[in-house]
Amino acid sequence: MSARKFTQIRFNHYDPEIMQDPYAVFAEVRSKCPLGHSDELGGFFFPTTYEGVKRAFSDFRTFTSTDGTGLPRQPLPLLPVDLDPPVHTAWRRTLNRFFTVEAAEADRERIQQVADTLIDAFIERGYADAVNELTRPFLAMSMLPVIGVPLEDRVELGNKLLWLVHNRVVDPEGGMKVYNEIGVYLTELAAKRRLAEQRDDLLQCLITQDFGGQKLDDGQVYQVLLLTLFGALDSTSSAMSGSLLHLARHPEDKARLVKGEVEWPVALDEFIRFTTPIQALRRMATKEVEIDGGTLYPGDQLLALNGAANRDPAKFPEPEKCILGRDATDHMSFGSGAHVCIGRHFARLMLGTCLKTMLARAYDFTVEDGFQPEYTPSEARAIKSLPIRFTPGNRVHAV
Amino acid sequence: MICVTYIEADGTSHDVHVDAGISVMEAAVRNNISAIEGECGGAAACATCHVYIPAEWQALTGSASEDELAMLEFGEGVDERSRLGCQITITQEMNGMTVLTPVTQR
Ligand code: HEM
Ligand code: FES
């Protein structure tokens, strides 16, 4: 075999240092042979051009999800993300009903209430940690009812999930323990619901519907619930905190949004591109294929890096800048192809509600000069804490 | 520019003007024709771009590949005119073509 072409570099999305600025690594690789290779985590290739990443997500015949989509491998398959079409398609068409634009719109008022309740708790004070008091609880409070998880279990479950996403690699043993705890909780939840009154939520659908001609068992219900929780919570809260940080530093963009000089849907796409909350999903090559100037062979592991696509200057000029008003509809933050994020309409609605409500109620929020955000490593890259100050305001709901 | 007419199940018709090289799905999505969703972005992996091509245009659009037929199994109201819109690239010769959309993509 002749020498393979790729750019060898140390990249690992679990490395806390690299993940403060993964884009520097992607840019270096892109400027050489844009197919990167790292020896970390068992060894994997990664395209760094927009086109390369998009192909990895879209061409399911060449880049399969059936070997798993987490790197390193999750202890059990997640559904439906670890399936390829056409098996995946049957699942997806059954699940889609809960995640349509219409379903998200029908929840708008409830989601607005979540925003107002959380902001009420700190608005009179004039300062807050926007991550721990707003964006993270926002997600759990908005999404758990859609999924069918009782709201009273929110804090404990939310914390366990967060811990798992960020620590499963550094502490595999602790990871397995928490994994099992969540597993027991969600499996019991499914079993209990089988006996309870019917409701119209995702959990009920998983119990009642046929998937590819069969009913799911409690274990499979758990595999879908866990994926939806992984997918929903940290990702959207990361988009929120990253966007809030941008607005805190760019009062001129706040003004443009409030005056309507930039349309919200256009701005939301750019915020989601710029923040790229989910950074890395795995695929496995099923055949010999050219990609980003190199060749992959069957069995090669491939990491599809959403952020590498989103920062390709050939696709988005000056990609490191958040430019409200640019056309970012083609961003890769939600992936592409069969698995394109099913929750994207909810994500956009929640992000929009969060930002609009902050602009309406705490318009002058700022961060301290020189504030350096610290980002969590892992598939989900998010600001850990965002201290903001603003002129105190009034609650909208009485205590 | 090439003109393609999309006719929805209820008779609503839209003329769109596009350049050659994009797909029947992309042309519809870019022109806000919501009867075509195109969720997977053209990867032949979702069947939400199901369309009917009238017999007189089928010589130009060709016929569905085996992979495409497998995905069309998920469409609603599929018949012998059915195609995935994302698998048809618009060419100059298709100027004046009519495309029908199904009652639902879900
Ligand atoms: C800004 C926020 C979000 C981002 C950046 C994001 C990102 C992604 C990405 C990149 C994928 C593709 C996975 C793959 O190709 O292997 C995906 C799939 C998925 N997302 Fe999201 N997501 C977000 C919000 C949500 C929300 C709010 C939910 C739940 C309501 C959700 C649920 C899911 C599920 C269930 C899948 C799997 C879909 C499938 O396999 O067909 N996501 N998401
Ligand atoms: S756009 Fe998904 S199958 Fe055509």
Side-chain angles (χ1 to χ4, degrees), chain A residues 56-57 65 68-70 78-83 88 91-92 95-96 98-99 139 143 146-147 202 224-225 227-240 272 275-283 304 306 331-348 350-351:
Chain A
F57 276 118
S65 294
T69 47
L78 296 176
L79 296 170
V81 80
D82 291 354
L83 303 171
H88 168 264
W91 281 70
R92 178 82 183 214
L95 295 175
N96 267 344
F98 290 90
F99 299 99
L139 259 293
M143 291 318 298
V146 175
I147 295 169
L202 177 67
V224 181
L225 289 179
L227 168 71
T228 313
L229 290 167
F230 273 152
L233 301 190
D234 258 11
S235 52
T236 317
S237 53
S238 161
M240 288 176 179
I272 294 167
T275 54
T276 315
I278 300 289
Q279 289 278 334
L281 288 151
R282 183 167 65 91
R283 297 292 192 263
N306 310 64
H331 71 72
M332 205 44 63
S333 293
F334 290 135
S336 188
H339 297 278
V340 64
C341 179
I342 200 171
R344 65 198 186 284
H345 304 302
F346 269 102
R348 292 174 63 91
M350 290 186 283
L351 176 60

Coordinates of all heavy atoms in Angstrom, one line a residue, chain A residues 56-57 65 68-70 78-83 88 91-92 95-96 98-99 139 143 146-147 202 224-225 227-240 272 275-283 304 306 331-348 350-351, ligand 1:
Chain A
A56 N -19.7 13.2 5.1 CA -19.6 12.2 6.1 C -21.0 12.0 6.8 O -21.4 10.9 7.2 CB -18.6 12.6 7.2
F57 N -21.7 13.1 6.9 CA -23.0 13.1 7.5 C -24.1 12.5 6.5 O -25.0 11.9 6.9 CB -23.5 14.5 8.0 CG -23.0 14.8 9.3 CD1 -22.2 15.9 9.5 CD2 -23.4 14.1 10.5 CE1 -21.7 16.3 10.8 CE2 -22.9 14.5 11.7 CZ -22.1 15.6 11.9
S65 N -23.6 4.6 10.5 CA -23.7 4.9 11.9 C -23.9 3.7 12.7 O -24.0 3.7 13.9 CB -25.0 5.8 12.1 OG -24.9 7.1 11.5
G68 N -22.0 2.7 15.8 CA -22.1 3.6 16.9 C -21.7 5.0 16.5 O -20.9 5.1 15.5
T69 N -22.2 6.0 17.1 CA -21.8 7.4 16.7 C -21.1 8.2 17.8 O -20.7 9.3 17.6 CB -23.1 8.2 16.4 OG1 -24.1 8.0 17.4 CG2 -23.7 7.7 15.0
G70 N -20.9 7.5 19.0 CA -20.0 8.2 20.0 C -18.6 7.7 19.8 O -18.3 6.6 19.4
L78 N -27.4 3.8 20.9 CA -28.5 4.8 21.1 C -29.4 4.7 19.9 O -28.9 4.6 18.8 CB -27.9 6.1 21.3 CG -27.0 6.3 22.6 CD1 -26.4 7.7 22.7 CD2 -27.8 6.0 23.9
L79 N -30.7 4.9 20.1 CA -31.7 4.8 19.1 C -32.4 6.1 18.9 O -32.7 6.7 19.9 CB -32.7 3.6 19.3 CG -32.0 2.2 19.4 CD1 -33.1 1.2 19.9 CD2 -31.6 1.8 18.0
P80 N -32.7 6.5 17.7 CA -32.4 5.8 16.4 C -31.1 6.3 15.8 O -30.9 6.1 14.6 CB -33.6 6.3 15.5 CG -33.8 7.7 16.0 CD -33.5 7.7 17.5
V81 N -30.2 6.9 16.6 CA -29.0 7.5 15.9 C -28.0 6.5 15.4 O -27.2 6.8 14.5 CB -28.4 8.6 16.9 CG1 -27.6 7.9 18.0 CG2 -27.7 9.7 16.2
D82 N -28.0 5.3 16.0 CA -27.0 4.3 15.6 C -27.6 3.4 14.5 O -27.2 2.2 14.4 CB -26.5 3.5 16.8 CG -25.7 4.3 17.8 OD1 -25.4 5.5 17.4 OD2 -25.3 3.8 18.8
L83 N -28.6 3.8 13.8 CA -29.2 3.0 12.7 C -28.9 3.7 11.4 O -28.8 5.0 11.3 CB -30.7 2.9 12.9 CG -31.2 2.3 14.2 CD1 -32.7 2.5 14.2 CD2 -30.8 0.8 14.3
H88 N -33.5 3.0 9.9 CA -33.6 4.3 10.6 C -34.9 5.1 10.1 O -35.6 5.7 11.0 CB -32.4 5.2 10.3 CG -32.5 6.6 10.7 ND1 -32.9 7.6 9.8 CD2 -32.4 7.2 11.9 CE1 -32.9 8.7 10.5 NE2 -32.7 8.5 11.8
W91 N -38.2 4.4 11.9 CA -38.1 5.0 13.3 C -38.4 6.5 13.2 O -39.2 7.0 13.9 CB -36.8 4.8 13.9 CG -36.6 3.4 14.5 CD1 -36.4 2.3 13.8 CD2 -36.5 3.1 15.9 NE1 -36.2 1.2 14.6 CE2 -36.2 1.7 15.9 CE3 -36.5 3.8 17.0 CZ2 -36.1 1.0 17.1 CZ3 -36.4 3.1 18.2 CH2 -36.1 1.8 18.3
R92 N -37.6 7.1 12.3 CA -37.7 8.5 12.3 C -39.0 9.0 11.9 O -39.5 10.0 12.4 CB -36.6 9.0 11.2 CG -36.5 10.4 11.0 CD -35.7 11.1 12.1 NE -35.7 12.5 11.8 CZ -34.7 13.4 12.0 NH1 -33.6 12.9 12.5 NH2 -34.7 14.6 11.7
L95 N -41.2 9.0 14.9 CA -40.8 9.9 16.0 C -41.1 11.4 15.5 O -41.4 12.3 16.4 CB -39.4 9.8 16.3 CG -39.0 8.5 17.0 CD1 -37.5 8.4 17.2 CD2 -39.7 8.3 18.3
N96 N -41.0 11.7 14.2 CA -41.0 13.0 13.7 C -42.2 13.8 14.3 O -42.1 15.0 14.5 CB -41.1 13.1 12.2 CG -39.7 13.2 11.6 OD1 -38.7 13.5 12.3 ND2 -39.5 12.9 10.3
F98 N -43.5 14.3 17.0 CA -43.4 15.0 18.2 C -42.5 16.2 18.1 O -42.3 17.0 19.1 CB -42.8 14.0 19.3 CG -43.9 13.1 19.7 CD1 -44.0 11.8 19.1 CD2 -44.8 13.4 20.7 CE1 -45.0 10.9 19.4 CE2 -45.8 12.5 21.0 CZ -45.9 11.3 20.3
F99 N -41.8 16.3 17.0 CA -40.8 17.3 16.9 C -41.0 18.3 15.7 O -40.0 19.0 15.3 CB -39.4 16.6 16.7 CG -39.1 15.8 17.9 CD1 -39.3 14.4 17.8 CD2 -38.5 16.3 19.0 CE1 -39.0 13.6 18.9 CE2 -38.2 15.5 20.1 CZ -38.5 14.1 20.1
L139 N -33.4 24.3 29.7 CA -33.6 23.1 28.8 C -34.3 22.0 29.5 O -35.2 21.4 29.0 CB -32.2 22.7 28.3 CG -31.9 23.1 26.9 CD1 -32.8 22.4 26.0 CD2 -32.1 24.6 26.7
M143 N -37.8 20.7 28.1 CA -37.8 19.5 27.3 C -38.3 18.2 28.1 O -38.9 17.3 27.5 CB -36.5 19.2 26.7 CG -36.1 20.2 25.6 SD -37.4 20.6 24.4 CE -37.7 19.0 23.7
V146 N -41.9 17.3 27.3 CA -42.1 16.8 26.0 C -41.7 15.4 25.9 O -42.4 14.6 25.2 CB -41.3 17.7 25.0 CG1 -41.4 17.2 23.6 CG2 -41.7 19.2 25.0
I147 N -40.6 15.0 26.5 CA -40.1 13.7 26.5 C -41.0 12.7 27.3 O -41.2 11.6 27.0 CB -38.6 13.6 26.9 CG1 -37.8 14.5 25.9 CG2 -38.1 12.2 27.0 CD1 -36.4 14.7 26.3
L202 N -43.7 11.8 24.0 CA -42.8 10.9 23.3 C -42.8 9.5 24.0 O -42.8 8.5 23.3 CB -41.4 11.5 23.3 CG -40.3 10.7 22.7 CD1 -40.5 10.5 21.2 CD2 -38.9 11.3 22.9
V224 N -33.9 5.2 23.4 CA -34.4 6.4 22.7 C -34.4 7.5 23.7 O -33.9 8.7 23.4 CB -35.8 6.2 22.1 CG1 -36.2 7.5 21.4 CG2 -35.8 5.0 21.1
L225 N -34.9 7.3 24.9 CA -35.0 8.4 25.9 C -33.7 8.9 26.2 O -33.5 10.2 26.2 CB -35.7 7.9 27.2 CG -37.2 7.5 27.1 CD1 -37.6 7.0 28.5 CD2 -38.0 8.7 26.7
L227 N -30.9 8.9 24.4 CA -30.4 9.7 23.3 C -31.1 11.1 23.2 O -30.4 12.1 23.1 CB -30.7 9.0 21.9 CG -30.4 9.9 20.7 CD1 -28.9 10.2 20.6 CD2 -31.0 9.4 19.5
T228 N -32.4 11.1 23.4 CA -33.1 12.4 23.3 C -32.7 13.3 24.4 O -32.5 14.5 24.2 CB -34.6 12.2 23.4 OG1 -34.9 11.1 22.5 CG2 -35.4 13.4 23.0
L229 N -32.4 12.8 25.6 CA -31.9 13.6 26.7 C -30.5 14.1 26.4 O -30.2 15.3 26.6 CB -32.0 12.8 28.0 CG -33.4 12.5 28.6 CD1 -33.3 11.4 29.6 CD2 -34.0 13.8 29.1
F230 N -29.7 13.2 26.0 CA -28.3 13.6 25.6 C -28.4 14.8 24.5 O -27.7 15.8 24.6 CB -27.5 12.5 24.9 CG -26.8 11.6 25.9 CD1 -26.6 10.3 25.6 CD2 -26.3 12.1 27.1 CE1 -25.9 9.4 26.4 CE2 -25.6 11.2 28.0 CZ -25.4 9.9 27.6
G231 N -29.3 14.5 23.5 CA -29.3 15.4 22.4 C -29.9 16.8 22.7 O -29.5 17.8 22.2
A232 N -30.9 16.8 23.7 CA -31.6 18.0 23.9 C -31.0 18.9 24.9 O -31.0 20.1 24.7 CB -33.0 17.6 24.4
L233 N -30.5 18.4 26.0 CA -30.2 19.3 27.1 C -29.0 20.2 26.9 O -29.1 21.4 26.9 CB -30.1 18.5 28.4 CG -31.3 17.7 28.8 CD1 -31.1 17.1 30.2 CD2 -32.6 18.4 28.6
D234 N -27.8 19.6 26.8 CA -26.6 20.4 26.8 C -26.4 21.2 25.5 O -25.8 22.3 25.5 CB -25.4 19.5 26.9 CG -24.8 19.5 28.3 OD1 -25.5 20.1 29.1 OD2 -23.8 18.9 28.5
S235 N -26.9 20.7 24.4 CA -26.7 21.3 23.1 C -27.4 22.7 23.1 O -26.7 23.7 22.8 CB -27.2 20.4 22.0 OG -28.6 20.1 22.3
T236 N -28.7 22.7 23.3 CA -29.4 24.0 23.2 C -28.9 25.0 24.2 O -28.8 26.2 24.0 CB -30.9 23.8 23.2 OG1 -31.2 22.6 22.5 CG2 -31.7 24.9 22.7
S237 N -28.6 24.5 25.4 CA -28.2 25.5 26.5 C -26.8 26.0 26.1 O -26.5 27.2 26.4 CB -28.1 24.8 27.9 OG -27.4 23.6 27.8
S238 N -26.0 25.3 25.4 CA -24.7 25.8 24.9 C -24.9 26.9 23.8 O -24.3 27.9 23.8 CB -23.9 24.7 24.3 OG -22.9 25.2 23.5
A239 N -25.9 26.7 23.0 CA -26.2 27.7 21.9 C -26.7 29.0 22.6 O -26.3 30.1 22.3 CB -27.3 27.2 21.0
M240 N -27.5 28.8 23.7 CA -28.0 30.0 24.4 C -26.9 30.7 25.1 O -26.8 32.0 25.0 CB -29.0 29.5 25.5 CG -30.3 29.0 25.0 SD -31.3 28.5 26.4 CE -32.8 28.0 25.6
I272 N -26.4 29.7 15.9 CA -26.2 28.3 16.0 C -25.0 27.8 15.2 O -24.3 26.9 15.7 CB -27.5 27.6 15.5 CG1 -28.7 27.9 16.5 CG2 -27.3 26.0 15.5 CD1 -30.1 27.5 15.9
T275 N -21.9 29.1 17.5 CA -21.7 28.4 18.8 C -21.4 26.9 18.6 O -20.7 26.3 19.4 CB -22.9 28.5 19.7 OG1 -24.1 28.1 19.0 CG2 -23.1 30.0 20.1
T276 N -21.8 26.3 17.5 CA -21.6 24.8 17.2 C -21.6 24.0 18.5 O -20.6 23.5 18.9 CB -20.4 24.6 16.4 OG1 -20.3 25.5 15.3 CG2 -20.3 23.2 15.9
P277 N -22.8 23.8 19.2 CA -22.8 23.1 20.5 C -22.4 21.7 20.4 O -21.7 21.2 21.3 CB -24.3 23.2 20.9 CG -24.8 24.4 20.1 CD -24.1 24.4 18.8
I278 N -22.7 21.0 19.3 CA -22.3 19.6 19.2 C -21.1 19.6 18.2 O -21.2 20.1 17.1 CB -23.4 18.7 18.7 CG1 -24.7 18.7 19.6 CG2 -23.0 17.2 18.4 CD1 -24.5 18.0 20.9
Q279 N -20.0 19.0 18.7 CA -18.8 19.2 17.9 C -18.4 17.9 17.1 O -17.7 18.0 16.1 CB -17.6 19.5 18.9 CG -17.7 20.9 19.4 CD -17.2 22.0 18.4 OE1 -16.3 21.7 17.6 NE2 -17.6 23.2 18.5
A280 N -18.8 16.7 17.6 CA -18.2 15.5 17.0 C -19.1 14.3 17.0 O -19.6 14.0 18.1 CB -16.9 15.2 17.7
L281 N -19.3 13.7 15.9 CA -20.0 12.4 15.8 C -19.3 11.4 15.0 O -18.7 11.8 14.0 CB -21.4 12.7 15.2 CG -22.4 13.4 16.2 CD1 -23.4 14.2 15.5 CD2 -23.0 12.4 17.2
R282 N -19.3 10.2 15.4 CA -18.5 9.2 14.7 C -19.2 8.5 13.6 O -20.5 8.3 13.7 CB -18.0 8.1 15.7 CG -17.1 7.1 15.1 CD -16.4 6.3 16.3 NE -17.4 5.5 17.0 CZ -17.7 4.3 16.8 NH1 -17.2 3.6 15.8 NH2 -18.6 3.6 17.5
R283 N -18.5 8.1 12.5 CA -19.0 7.2 11.5 C -17.9 6.2 11.2 O -16.8 6.4 11.6 CB -19.3 8.0 10.2 CG -20.4 9.0 10.3 CD -21.8 8.4 10.5 NE -22.9 9.4 10.4 CZ -23.5 10.0 11.4 NH1 -23.0 9.9 12.6 NH2 -24.5 10.9 11.1
A304 N -16.9 13.1 12.3 CA -17.5 14.2 11.6 C -17.6 15.4 12.5 O -18.3 15.4 13.6 CB -18.9 13.9 11.1
N306 N -18.7 19.0 13.3 CA -19.6 20.0 12.9 C -18.9 21.4 12.9 O -19.2 22.2 12.0 CB -20.8 20.1 13.9 CG -21.4 18.7 14.1 OD1 -20.8 17.8 14.7 ND2 -22.6 18.6 13.7
H331 N -25.6 26.0 7.8 CA -24.6 25.5 8.8 C -24.7 24.1 9.1 O -25.8 23.4 8.8 CB -24.8 26.4 10.1 CG -26.1 26.0 10.8 ND1 -26.3 24.9 11.5 CD2 -27.3 26.7 10.9 CE1 -27.6 24.8 12.0 NE2 -28.2 26.0 11.6
M332 N -23.7 23.5 9.7 CA -23.7 22.0 10.0 C -23.9 21.7 11.4 O -23.7 20.6 11.9 CB -22.3 21.6 9.5 CG -22.1 20.1 9.1 SD -23.4 19.4 8.1 CE -23.3 20.4 6.6
S333 N -24.4 22.7 12.2 CA -24.6 22.4 13.7 C -25.6 21.3 14.0 O -25.4 20.6 15.0 CB -25.0 23.7 14.4 OG -23.9 24.6 14.3
F334 N -26.6 21.2 13.1 CA -27.6 20.1 13.3 C -27.2 18.9 12.5 O -28.0 18.0 12.4 CB -29.0 20.6 12.9 CG -29.6 21.7 13.8 CD1 -30.2 22.8 13.3 CD2 -29.5 21.5 15.2 CE1 -30.7 23.8 14.1 CE2 -30.1 22.5 16.0 CZ -30.7 23.6 15.5
G335 N -26.0 18.8 12.0 CA -25.7 17.7 11.1 C -26.4 17.8 9.8 O -26.9 18.9 9.4
S336 N -26.5 16.7 9.0 CA -27.1 16.7 7.7 C -27.5 15.3 7.4 O -27.0 14.3 8.0 CB -26.2 17.3 6.7 OG -26.8 17.5 5.4
G337 N -28.3 15.1 6.4 CA -28.7 13.7 6.0 C -29.7 13.1 6.9 O -30.5 13.8 7.6
A338 N -29.7 11.8 6.9 CA -30.8 11.0 7.6 C -31.0 11.5 9.1 O -32.1 11.5 9.5 CB -30.5 9.5 7.6
H339 N -29.9 11.8 9.8 CA -30.0 12.0 11.2 C -30.1 13.5 11.6 O -30.0 13.8 12.7 CB -28.8 11.4 11.9 CG -28.8 9.9 11.8 ND1 -29.5 9.0 12.6 CD2 -28.1 9.1 10.9 CE1 -29.3 7.8 12.2 NE2 -28.4 7.8 11.2
V340 N -30.2 14.3 10.6 CA -30.3 15.8 10.9 C -31.2 16.0 12.1 O -32.2 15.4 12.2 CB -30.8 16.6 9.6 CG1 -32.2 16.2 9.3 CG2 -30.6 18.1 9.9
C341 N -30.7 16.8 13.0 CA -31.3 16.9 14.3 C -32.8 17.0 14.3 O -33.4 17.9 13.7 CB -30.7 18.1 15.1 SG -31.5 18.3 16.7
I342 N -33.4 16.0 15.0 CA -34.9 16.0 15.0 C -35.5 17.1 15.9 O -36.6 17.5 15.7 CB -35.3 14.6 15.5 CG1 -36.8 14.2 15.0 CG2 -35.2 14.4 17.0 CD1 -37.2 12.8 15.3
G343 N -34.6 17.6 16.8 CA -35.1 18.6 17.8 C -34.8 20.0 17.3 O -35.0 20.9 18.1
R344 N -34.5 20.2 16.0 CA -34.0 21.5 15.7 C -35.1 22.6 15.7 O -34.8 23.8 16.0 CB -33.3 21.5 14.3 CG -34.3 21.1 13.1 CD -33.5 20.7 11.9 NE -34.3 20.5 10.7 CZ -35.1 19.4 10.6 NH1 -35.2 18.5 11.5 NH2 -35.9 19.3 9.5
H345 N -36.3 22.2 15.5 CA -37.4 23.3 15.6 C -37.6 23.7 17.0 O -37.8 24.9 17.3 CB -38.7 22.8 15.0 CG -38.5 22.3 13.5 ND1 -38.1 23.1 12.6 CD2 -38.7 21.1 13.0 CE1 -38.0 22.5 11.4 NE2 -38.4 21.2 11.6
F346 N -37.5 22.7 17.9 CA -37.6 23.1 19.4 C -36.4 23.9 19.8 O -36.5 24.9 20.5 CB -37.6 21.8 20.2 CG -39.0 21.4 20.5 CD1 -39.6 20.3 19.8 CD2 -39.8 22.0 21.5 CE1 -40.9 19.8 20.1 CE2 -41.1 21.6 21.7 CZ -41.6 20.5 21.0
A347 N -35.2 23.5 19.3 CA -34.0 24.2 19.7 C -34.1 25.7 19.2 O -33.8 26.6 20.0 CB -32.8 23.5 19.0
R348 N -34.5 25.9 18.0 CA -34.6 27.3 17.5 C -35.6 28.1 18.3 O -35.4 29.3 18.7 CB -35.0 27.3 16.0 CG -34.0 26.8 15.1 CD -34.5 26.7 13.7 NE -34.8 28.0 13.2 CZ -34.0 28.8 12.5 NH1 -32.8 28.3 12.3 NH2 -34.4 29.9 12.1
M350 N -36.6 27.6 21.4 CA -36.1 27.8 22.8 C -35.0 28.9 22.8 O -35.0 29.8 23.6 CB -35.6 26.5 23.4 CG -36.7 25.5 23.7 SD -36.1 24.1 24.6 CE -35.3 23.1 23.3
L351 N -34.1 28.8 21.8 CA -33.0 29.8 21.7 C -33.6 31.2 21.5 O -33.2 32.1 22.2 CB -32.0 29.4 20.6 CG -30.9 30.4 20.3 CD1 -30.0 30.6 21.5 CD2 -30.1 29.9 19.1
Ligands
HEM1 C1 -28.8 23.7 19.3 C2 -29.2 22.6 19.8 C3 -28.9 21.2 19.1 C4 -27.9 20.8 18.4 C5 -26.6 21.6 18.0 C6 -28.1 19.4 18.0 C7 -27.3 18.7 17.2 C8 -27.6 17.4 16.7 C9 -26.8 16.7 15.7 C10 -25.5 17.2 15.1 C11 -27.5 15.6 15.4 C12 -27.0 14.5 14.4 C13 -26.5 13.2 15.0 C14 -25.8 12.3 13.9 O1 -25.8 12.7 12.7 O2 -25.3 11.2 14.3 C15 -28.6 15.5 16.2 C16 -29.5 14.5 16.3 C17 -30.5 14.4 17.2 N1 -31.0 15.4 18.1 FE1 -30.2 17.3 18.2 N2 -29.3 19.0 18.6 C18 -29.8 20.1 19.3 C19 -31.1 20.1 19.9 C20 -31.9 19.0 20.1 C21 -33.1 19.0 20.9 C22 -33.7 20.2 21.5 C23 -33.5 17.7 20.8 C24 -34.8 17.1 21.4 C25 -35.9 17.7 21.5 C26 -32.6 16.9 20.1 C27 -32.7 15.6 19.8 C28 -32.0 14.9 18.8 C29 -32.2 13.5 18.5 C30 -33.3 12.5 19.1 C31 -31.3 13.2 17.4 C32 -31.2 11.9 16.7 C33 -31.9 11.9 15.4 C34 -31.8 10.7 14.5 O3 -30.9 9.9 14.8 O4 -32.5 10.6 13.5 N3 -31.6 17.7 19.6 N4 -28.7 16.7 17.0

